[in-house]
Amino acid sequence: MLKLLSPAKLNLFLKVVKRREDGYHDLASLFQTIDLYDTLHFELADNDVLTCDVSDIPTDRTNLILKAADVFRKKTGIAFGLHVKLEKKIPSQSGLGGGSSNAAATLWAINSLLNRPVSPSDLRAWSSEVGSDVPFFFSQGTAFCTGRGEHVQNLEPLPKSQVVIVKPTAGLSTPSVFGQLNLSSLNPVDQISILTRFMEGQPSYVNDLEEPAFSAMPELRLIKQTLLQSGYDTVLMTGSGSAFFCLGEGTFPKDFPFVVQANFTNRSADSWYG
Ligand code: C5P
């Protein structure tokens, strides 16, 4: 039995660079893990069984946890079954990357339970077949990600920061938000200078998926305004939403179904998060 924590992520900035021939979009995004965790319990077994303590998470083969197990089997040819118990704290359809993080933790766990036949860099490369945001979790928690998300440049940890995360009841699916993106509104992006400015202490907290998310769900714009009015310096949607993170000092928001305080967190090179 192996227990791993699976952290949520924030996109501290997210620029859409262009639409690709394959329908995906090239992005340039600074990702950061936070200490809001799902907990996963893994055990090798004869067959695959996934159970979860909340009812709105699919436990069939559409779940990225079982997709990750399939990718591991396909790439290595090793036969195994996996029992996984998932305790969910990260809300789904929030842009906090819970499903992708669970998939990354699963690849790490299978490799550990099989006495590490695969290098972490191979795990990271394979993980992009499970989902665009999965490779990021093989960084040490702060990374600049480009391409579909599969090019991961690990960065030194950022100064310790506390955030408040707010998610309204309704969630957003990633394809529906990309579907609302107005490609002609995209400015040319100098990927390196936006990162450099951020790291030099001149951050621009920007997410090109906010406007499309606001088109898909107009009440989100109002939520952002309300949070800014309560005193926070920065309020930004993470990923394709519908969660926001708030930086600075503000009146702790109460009237939302999901509100938590969290901190930036990082892992060491040879151990998982938590
Ligand atoms: O890779 P993943 O399955 O997480 O992507 C879900 C959907 O999000 C894709 O089918 C695509 O519509 C959109 N997407 C995108 N560009 C990315 C990542 C996701 O267009 N870089």
Side-chain angles (χ1 to χ4, degrees), residues 72-144:
F72 196 103
R73 273 188 286 261
K74 183 180 85 179
K75 296 289 185 181
T76 60
I78 301 173
F80 62 88
L82 191 67
H83 286 188
V84 186
K85 205 173 102 194
L86 169 60
E87 293 165 16
K88 206 75 194 148
K89 286 276 187 307
I90 306 170
S92 56
Q93 295 213 309
S94 63
L96 291 164
S100 303
S101 176
N102 295 169
T106 301
L107 291 171
W108 184 277
I110 296 167
N111 200 40
S112 301
L113 290 167
L114 294 172
N115 295 320
R116 298 196 171 82
V118 179
S119 71
S121 67
D122 278 345
L123 289 180
R124 188 188 69 204
W126 300 346
S127 73
S128 68
E129 293 186 25
V130 185
S132 303
D133 284 348
V134 187
F136 157 68
F137 291 94
F138 290 93
S139 74
Q140 288 174 247
T142 306
F144 183 51

Side-chain angles (χ1 to χ4, degrees), residues 12-179:
L12 299 181
F13 67 78
L14 190 160
K15 294 293 295 172
V16 178
V17 178
K18 67 173 168 68
R19 186 161 197 269
R20 303 160 26 141
E21 299 267 296
D22 61 6
Y24 282 88
H25 295 78
D26 279 336
L27 309 175
S29 182
L30 178 60
F31 281 64
Q32 174 65 53
T33 44
I34 52 173
D35 60 358
L36 166 65
Y37 298 109
D38 292 338
T39 305
L40 294 103
H41 305 265
F42 299 95
E43 199 168 16
L44 292 177
D46 293 336
N47 56 351
D48 288 348
V49 179
L50 170 62
T51 56
C52 182
D53 62 345
V54 298
S55 57
D56 62 333
I57 301 293
T59 51
D60 62 8
R61 301 215 76 84
T62 61
N63 191 298
L64 297 189
I65 290 174
L66 296 183
K67 287 193 175 169
D70 286 339
V71 166
F72 196 103
R73 273 188 286 261
K74 183 180 85 179
K75 296 289 185 181
T76 60
I78 301 173
F80 62 88
L82 191 67
H83 286 188
V84 186
K85 205 173 102 194
L86 169 60
E87 293 165 16
K88 206 75 194 148
K89 286 276 187 307
I90 306 170
S92 56
Q93 295 213 309
S94 63
L96 291 164
S100 303
S101 176
N102 295 169
T106 301
L107 291 171
W108 184 277
I110 296 167
N111 200 40
S112 301
L113 290 167
L114 294 172
N115 295 320
R116 298 196 171 82
V118 179
S119 71
S121 67
D122 278 345
L123 289 180
R124 188 188 69 204
W126 300 346
S127 73
S128 68
E129 293 186 25
V130 185
S132 303
D133 284 348
V134 187
F136 157 68
F137 291 94
F138 290 93
S139 74
Q140 288 174 247
T142 306
F144 183 51
C145 299
T146 52
R148 239 180 78 202
E150 77 278 27
H151 300 301
V152 178
Q153 181 189 343
N154 190 61
L155 300 171
E156 287 297 310
L158 293 166
K160 296 227 163 304
S161 295
Q162 199 169 62
V163 289
V164 172
I165 315 278
V166 173
K167 183 190 173 265
T169 312
L172 278 170
S173 88
T174 305
S176 74
V177 174
F178 275 101

